[in-house]
Amino acid sequence: MSNSKVKKYTFSGHESFPCKSLWLKKGYDFVVAGNDFNSPEAVIGLGVGKNMVASIRFWLRVFGVTKNDEQTELADYLFNDQNGKDKYLEDIATLWLLHFNLVFSEEATLYNMFFCGVQRERTHFEREQVLTFVKMRMVEANKMTLFNANTVKKDIGVLLQNYTLPRKAQSNEDFSSLLIDLDLIRQSSEGKGYYFNVDGKRKVTKEIFLYGLLKLKEQEGDNTIPFSTIQERVGLAFCMQDFETIEMLKQLASDYSQYFAYNDVAGIKQIQFTKDLNDKQVLDDYYGKDI
């Protein structure tokens, strides 16, 4: 893999709060207005407690809404007050987009390990198995000094709150996590287990899948990408099985035939980009261009 970026391992920063639906827009507005998260005024400006200020700052970064506490192009594209495409996150495509960024960027290490690692090994899991998986990965990477079981346990708990409907909700607040509507993870009907909702899940919007493919191309630095890499880095991020990813690639290769082709020759499956395609152009194809 030609990913030369030095890997960081981060399992904390959310202060044990899952990301609430309204936080990204609220945080974006806060940043655009030139406010400072370190200022004592941030508590008043965001209308939340001090720990939540830190949590909002964390989620903005790992979802790709901010970089170095400045809003990103994608953040402006989605949340700008004048012409943001989905300011209040009413479109499930935007949730897929944010989810992909969270998994792919590896800014919050667990999410990539979970969707692109744990999921390859098992469809059903318990929290302890996720913890063991992370520990093994850290051993392999020779990074055990960065592994703290309690910290990772909390991180696993927050991840599950981000994606899973609560079994016994205490209040509406329990349903306010940003990514629950994707319905990617469910609790088993009995016991303490969970499972990836691979068979019953919603289908990712094709333009968002293509956005993911372009991010992968950028990272790989190559116009030809083998299917195994696509499935490992993009397909699994969307909880897709091999055959679903192949169908998606065939459909996109047909819709965007001037940009790339899908080939399956002698059992070697790959895509080949023939012309540059801009990720904003792809998002515009879905959200509509500004008039």
Side-chain angles (χ1 to χ4, degrees):
M1 211 190 296
S2 62
N3 183 359
S4 57
K5 200 171 74 168
V6 177
K7 250 194 172 150
K8 297 200 308 273
Y9 292 90
T10 308
F11 299 99
S12 62
H14 44 64
E15 305 288 331
S16 296
F17 295 109
C19 186
K20 304 294 183 194
S21 296
L22 302 173
W23 279 6
L24 297 186
K25 170 66 174 154
K26 186 184 266 196
Y28 168 84
D29 290 342
F30 180 84
V31 168
V32 168
N35 294 305
D36 178 2
F37 286 104
N38 293 318
S39 154
E41 301 298 310
V43 171
I44 300 158
L46 288 165
V48 296
K50 198 173 177 189
N51 287 7
M52 277 193 188
V53 170
S55 187
I56 290 172
R57 186 184 195 178
F58 168 83
W59 290 118
L60 289 172
R61 179 171 62 79
V62 301
F63 277 115
V65 177
T66 59
K67 191 171 182 176
N68 302 324
D69 290 338
E70 304 264 319
Q71 80 266 26
T72 59
E73 273 181 45
L74 180 67
D76 284 333
Y77 184 83
L78 294 171
F79 299 128
N80 179 282
D81 263 342
Q82 271 66 54
N83 53 14
K85 300 292 187 186
D86 190 15
K87 295 194 277 281
Y88 303 108
L89 298 174
E90 292 159 316
D91 191 326
I92 195 152
T94 311
L95 296 185
W96 281 120
L97 178 58
L98 291 166
H99 159 76
F100 176 78
N101 275 351
L102 175 62
V103 174
F104 189 77
S105 73
E106 300 188 52
E107 289 284 338
T109 308
L110 179 65
Y111 290 77
N112 189 280
M113 282 190 181
F114 179 74
F115 283 99
C116 301
V118 174
Q119 190 185 183
R120 285 173 77 184
E121 296 189 354
R122 56 181 72 246
T123 48
H124 289 71
F125 61 89
E126 291 184 7
R127 290 172 187 235
E128 279 300 317
Q129 290 168 318
V130 180
L131 183 67
T132 302
F133 181 89
V134 173
K135 188 174 183 178
M136 292 298 296
R137 277 290 168 92
M138 298 303 276
V139 168
E140 286 163 19
N142 204 14
K143 297 284 183 189
M144 270 307 280
T145 49
L146 303 176
F147 177 83
N148 177 301
N150 285 335
T151 304
V152 175
K153 270 182 196 166
K154 279 185 194 154
D155 205 15
I156 293 165
V158 169
L159 180 148
L160 292 170
Q161 280 180 280
N162 270 325
Y163 288 95
T164 316
L165 274 173
R167 191 175 287 154
K168 293 194 182 82
Q170 304 299 312
S171 69
N172 280 346
E173 192 61 20
D174 290 344
F175 293 97
S176 65
S177 293
L178 179 65
L179 300 169
I180 283 180
D181 283 351
L182 291 178
D183 196 17
L184 289 179
I185 302 164
R186 291 184 175 180
Q187 296 199 47
S188 304
S189 48
E190 69 286 323
K192 54 184 181 171
Y194 296 82
Y195 63 95
F196 291 98
N197 185 25
V198 172
D199 295 321
K201 68 171 184 303
R202 296 166 174 230
K203 203 168 173 222
V204 63
T205 317
K206 65 179 182 178
E207 290 84 0
I208 304 304
F209 187 95
L210 181 51
Y211 171 91
L213 215 47
L214 291 172
K215 290 294 172 196
L216 179 63
K217 173 182 179 280
E218 204 177 289
Q219 197 176 73
E220 293 288 306
D222 200 340
N223 286 326
T224 303
I225 310 174
F227 172 76
S228 57
T229 304
I230 294 168
Q231 178 59 1
E232 196 178 293
R233 306 291 315 281
V234 182
L236 284 174
F238 295 122
C239 289
M240 292 163 74
Q241 297 173 72
D242 286 13
F243 75 90
E244 293 175 291
T245 303
I246 289 167
E247 283 308 304
M248 178 69 84
L249 291 173
K250 285 178 178 171
Q251 186 188 352
L252 286 169
S254 158
D255 293 350
Y256 288 84
S257 53
Q258 69 271 44
Y259 296 100
F260 76 95
Y262 170 76
N263 303 308
D264 183 352
V265 181
I268 295 172
K269 303 178 182 69
Q270 59 185 28
I271 64 163
Q272 191 158 22
F273 281 91
T274 48
K275 191 176 167 190
D276 276 348
L277 181 58
N278 180 302
D279 53 20
K280 182 179 179 299
Q281 182 186 334
V282 169
L283 294 179
D284 281 345
D285 287 345
Y286 177 75
Y287 288 103
K289 295 178 175 60
D290 288 331
I291 308 306

